[in-house]
């Protein structure tokens, strides 16, 4: 939400973007619940005191678009309502591949890549490190299942074998989770690709920590939240050396200063700031006193009371400033709507996207008239990144790889060790900085993961019955035949 506020404020201060116009926003919390998302959409479309489906009960201000939802299921629910109106909807987090289907979701766009490219990224990563034997885990959801299924298909196409494929959920019984942990323990696959939510993975790591399984290499998807606060210390240590795929997130210039400027004395109209202040500083505002000035005078040294003079710099500890993926992509969504409106206003009669090449009239703007402009919007961020949507409403797949490094004293750090850019030429899409990686062993040497040792010259492979092709025995060449190559 702060990302939306910052983008809106920045646009309204920019004399070159939407001059003489003021952007506003209306925020609904779906509480990760599809029904609440549906209520919010109907309320936005209606605009009156009581939401009335298919009626607009306000004349102004004009609604330009909807940003959301967070989950793919919420976005789909919203998109079905918006579909008949062709009303632009931009999600900053939903990655389900089905949302790329414009027959089903004609007015849906997103500032994050679809999940489909992730499958290719993981398969190429495994191939890059010459791993031929991997395990797969997915949270028990349709989105995670589809992504891991794609990894399996891409990996097998590249000659990589799958040792196991399991679903995960923190709602599973202890017995079921223990059985999954045992499967992992028994497998000789050292590399595990996991499209898992943090709470689900945490439930499994609890059992693995008791089994002392510290040598596995975890490759984690964008659905994973990189934060030690989600895990007990012994479980968190198991993730040392993990590679995590994260949404490409350049710096949002000025946003850190914006966060540090938040203050109840300056933002008294912000209905969240006082509650946030209480959480950030573990204090309480006096219940019966609405005057913050009076609080400052009366509080004295009482640390249980919020005074308004707490160190604002300490607020930074409340924000995960190294994981601003959702913030950045909601920031892009606001700018996409603003730039689209700018293009609509700048339309030249005879060159417009509507009947007879006409333009929209701003004074009589219809809901559906924004969509062509949002689809075709193209702009550069303040950091120089080019943003546009393809024919499916998706942005190009650009990801970063970060390496989670946990030290013996319990401290940790995230190191960006590579990128994947689908816009780059073949062979240049993936770039990795090998010398900056640290693996679970604490070493920089790439670990191996295979089912069977390579066969030396003079021996040939004999595939084990009922097992994948990567699992074989090495047997001597028959009399009169030779092999002078490894694994021939």
């Amino acid at each position: 939400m702060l990302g939306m506020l910052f983008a809106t404020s920045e646009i309204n201060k920019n004399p070159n973007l939407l001059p003489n116009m003021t952007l506003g926003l209306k925020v609904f919390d779906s509480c990760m619940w599809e029904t609440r998302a549906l209520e919010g959409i109907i309320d936005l479309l209606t605009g009156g005191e009581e939401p009335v489906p298919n009626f607009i009960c306000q004349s102004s201000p004009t609604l330009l678009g909807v940003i959301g939802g967070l989950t793919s299921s919420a976005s789909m629910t919203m998109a079905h309502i918006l579909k008949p109106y062709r009303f632009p909807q931009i999600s900053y987090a939903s990655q389900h591949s089905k949302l790329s289907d414009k027959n089903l979701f004609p007015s849906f766009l997103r500032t994050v890549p679809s999940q489909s490219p992730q499958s290719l990224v993981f398969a190429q990563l495994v191939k890059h490190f010459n791993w031929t034997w991997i395990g797969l885990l997915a949270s028990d959801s349709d989105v995670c299942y589809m992504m891991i299924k794609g990894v399996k298909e891409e990996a097998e196409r590249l000659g990589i074998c799958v040792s196991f494929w399991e679903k995960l959920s923190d709602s599973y019984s202890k017995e079921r989770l223990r059985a999954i942990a045992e499967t992992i323990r028994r497998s000789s696959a050292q590399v595990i690709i996991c499209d898992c939510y943090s709470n689900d993975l945490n439930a499994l790591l609890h059992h693995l920590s008791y089994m002392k399984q510290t040598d596995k290499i975890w490759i984690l998807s964008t659905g994973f939240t990189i934060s030690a606060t989600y895990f007990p210390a012994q479980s968190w240590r198991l993730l040392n050396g993990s590679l995590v795929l994260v949404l490409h997130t350049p710096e949002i210039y000025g946003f850190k200063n914006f966060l540090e400027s938040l203050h109840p004395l300056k933002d008294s109209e912000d209905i969240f700031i006082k509650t946030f202040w209480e959480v950030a500083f573990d204090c309480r505002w006096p219940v019966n006193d609405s005057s913050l000035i009076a609080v400052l005078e009366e509080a004295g040294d009482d640390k249980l009371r919020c005074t308004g003079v707490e160190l604002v710099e300490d607020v930074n500890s409340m924000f995960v400033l190294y994981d601003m993926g959702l913030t950045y992509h909601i920031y892009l969504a606001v700018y996409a709507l603003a730039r689209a409106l700018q293009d609509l206003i700048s339309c030249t009669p005879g060159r417009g996207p509507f009947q007879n090449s006409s333009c929209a009239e701003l004074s009589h703007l219809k809901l559906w008239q924004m969509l062509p402009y949002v689809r075709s919007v193209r702009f550069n961020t303040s950091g120089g990144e080019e943003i546009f949507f393809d024919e499916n409403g998706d942005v190009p797949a650009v990801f970063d790889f970060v390496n989670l490094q946990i030290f013996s004293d319990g401290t940790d750090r995230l190191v960006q060790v590579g990128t994947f850019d689908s816009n780059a030429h073949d062979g240049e899409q993936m770039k990795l900085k090998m010398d900056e990686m640290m693996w679970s062993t604490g070493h920089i040497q790439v670990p191996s993961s295979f089912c069977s040792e390579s066969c030396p010259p003079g021996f040939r492979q004999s595939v084990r019955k009922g097992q994948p092709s990567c699992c074989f025995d090495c047997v001597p060449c028959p009399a009169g035949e030779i092999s002078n190559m490894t694994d021939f």
Side-chain angles (χ1 to χ4, degrees):
M1 189 187 71
L2 291 174
M4 289 185 69
L5 286 170
F6 177 67
T8 304
S9 173
E10 201 173 50
I11 291 165
N12 287 335
K13 293 176 182 177
N14 186 345
N16 300 315
L17 181 58
L18 302 179
N20 302 319
M21 298 186 72
T22 302
L23 283 186
L25 53 89
K26 193 171 184 179
V27 180
F28 288 87
D29 188 355
S30 67
C31 302
M32 305 286 283
W33 191 16
E34 288 80 359
T35 305
R36 288 290 298 271
L38 179 61
E39 291 174 356
I41 282 295
I42 295 176
D43 193 293
L44 274 173
L45 292 175
T46 300
E49 292 295 326
E50 292 294 329
V52 184
N54 210 38
F55 281 85
I56 298 178
C57 303
Q58 65 176 3
S59 56
S60 63
T62 302
L63 193 60
L64 298 179
V66 172
I67 296 175
L70 176 65
T71 65
S72 293
S73 56
S75 286
M76 289 179 184
T77 299
M78 296 160 62
H80 284 307
I81 296 297
L82 297 171
K83 177 179 178 179
Y85 304 100
R86 294 297 193 270
F87 191 42
Q89 170 192 357
I90 306 177
S91 174
Y92 54 94
S94 302
Q95 293 184 283
H96 200 299
S97 56
K98 188 183 292 184
L99 287 163
S100 297
D101 187 337
K102 294 305 102 179
N103 291 320
L104 292 175
F105 306 104
S107 58
F108 177 85
L109 307 98
R110 49 186 162 192
T111 54
V112 292
S114 163
Q115 67 178 177
S116 298
Q118 287 192 58
S119 301
L120 177 62
V121 172
F122 283 127
Q124 289 189 7
L125 183 71
V126 172
K127 188 70 174 177
H128 177 84
F129 288 119
N130 295 317
W131 294 325
T132 58
W133 191 229
I134 62 173
L136 301 176
L137 293 174
S139 282
D140 196 352
S141 73
D142 184 38
V143 175
C144 296
Y145 170 81
M146 292 297 293
M147 204 285 281
I148 287 297
K149 181 174 180 288
V151 174
K152 183 175 184 294
E153 293 170 351
E154 287 289 339
E156 291 177 342
R157 186 179 63 81
L158 294 173
I160 299 160
C161 300
V162 175
S163 172
F164 60 85
W165 180 11
E166 298 283 351
K167 288 184 179 181
L168 271 184
S169 174
D170 61 354
S171 64
Y172 285 176
S173 66
K174 290 182 179 179
E175 292 74 19
R176 188 172 179 181
L177 287 168
R178 195 177 298 118
I180 297 171
E182 183 64 21
T183 297
I184 294 172
R185 187 188 71 81
R186 289 182 177 180
S187 173
S188 58
Q190 295 298 102
V191 176
I192 302 173
I193 297 177
C194 182
D195 188 15
C196 307
Y197 303 123
S198 299
N199 55 318
D200 295 334
L201 182 57
N202 188 19
L204 175 67
L205 291 179
H206 170 76
H207 295 280
L208 287 173
S209 65
Y210 281 104
M211 297 177 180
K212 310 296 183 184
Q213 284 294 257
T214 60
D215 59 341
K216 301 296 183 182
I217 305 298
W218 295 87
I219 312 296
L220 302 166
S221 71
T222 56
F224 178 75
T225 302
I226 316 170
S227 175
T229 59
Y230 285 88
F231 301 87
Q234 66 272 21
S235 297
W236 181 244
R237 289 193 191 98
L238 297 185
L239 298 177
N240 180 35
S242 299
L243 281 179
V244 188
L245 190 68
V246 299
L247 298 172
H248 180 59
T249 308
E251 180 183 355
I252 308 175
Y253 296 102
F255 187 60
K256 187 173 182 288
N257 292 335
F258 172 75
L259 293 180
E260 292 178 350
S261 72
L262 297 173
H263 201 283
L265 293 177
K266 294 191 297 182
D267 306 289
S268 58
E269 294 182 359
D270 186 335
I271 64 172
F272 300 107
I273 187 65
K274 289 181 67 176
T275 302
F276 170 76
W277 208 259
E278 290 183 338
V279 175
F281 297 109
D282 194 23
C283 61
R284 297 290 178 270
W285 296 106
V287 176
N288 298 322
D289 190 352
S290 60
S291 172
L292 293 181
I293 301 300
V295 170
L296 285 169
E297 294 173 349
E298 296 176 7
D301 295 328
D302 186 357
K303 294 182 180 180
L304 296 178
R305 278 192 178 188
C306 298
T307 65
V309 294
E310 290 80 8
L311 293 175
V312 180
E313 292 79 8
D314 292 344
V315 174
N316 284 337
S317 64
M318 296 295 294
F319 297 102
V320 188
L321 291 176
Y322 56 73
D323 185 12
M324 301 295 286
L326 296 183
T327 306
Y328 177 72
H329 290 88
I330 205 169
Y331 174 86
L332 293 182
V334 175
Y335 263 93
L337 287 175
R339 293 288 180 179
L341 179 59
Q342 180 71 52
D343 292 342
L344 183 149
I345 295 170
S346 305
C347 177
T348 302
R351 296 183 180 180
F354 307 116
Q355 188 174 12
N356 298 323
S357 301
S358 61
C359 300
E361 294 182 33
L362 190 59
S363 58
H364 297 90
L365 186 62
K366 304 293 190 299
L367 297 179
W368 53 269
Q369 290 177 316
M370 273 291 291
L371 184 58
Y373 290 98
V374 178
R375 282 177 174 168
S376 61
V377 75
R378 203 176 192 104
F379 63 96
N380 290 324
T381 66
S382 56
E385 185 177 16
E386 186 178 29
I387 304 299
F388 62 93
F389 301 105
D390 65 17
E391 65 275 9
N392 297 319
D394 297 329
V395 291
V398 184
F399 301 100
D400 293 332
F401 291 103
V402 296
N403 185 211
L404 174 58
Q405 302 178 359
I406 305 174
F407 304 99
S408 56
D409 62 358
T411 60
D412 59 71
R413 67 174 181 175
L414 286 172
V415 180
Q416 183 180 338
V417 294
T419 58
F420 178 91
D421 187 350
S422 62
N423 284 326
H425 297 297
D426 290 344
E428 299 179 0
Q429 293 179 329
M430 184 180 296
K431 295 182 179 179
L432 297 171
K433 295 179 280 189
M434 305 294 294
D435 57 336
E436 296 189 23
M437 293 186 191
M438 185 178 76
W439 303 97
S440 59
T441 57
H443 300 96
I444 61 173
Q445 184 177 355
V446 179
S448 58
S449 185
F450 50 80
C451 184
S452 299
E453 294 275 2
S454 296
C455 295
F459 289 79
R460 65 178 178 84
Q461 295 179 0
S462 177
V463 178
R464 296 169 186 167
K465 187 176 181 180
Q467 294 193 28
S469 60
C470 300
C471 301
F472 50 83
D473 296 314
C474 295
V475 298
C477 295
E481 296 181 10
I482 63 169
S483 169
N484 60 2
M485 297 173 59
T486 300
D487 284 338
F488 181 72

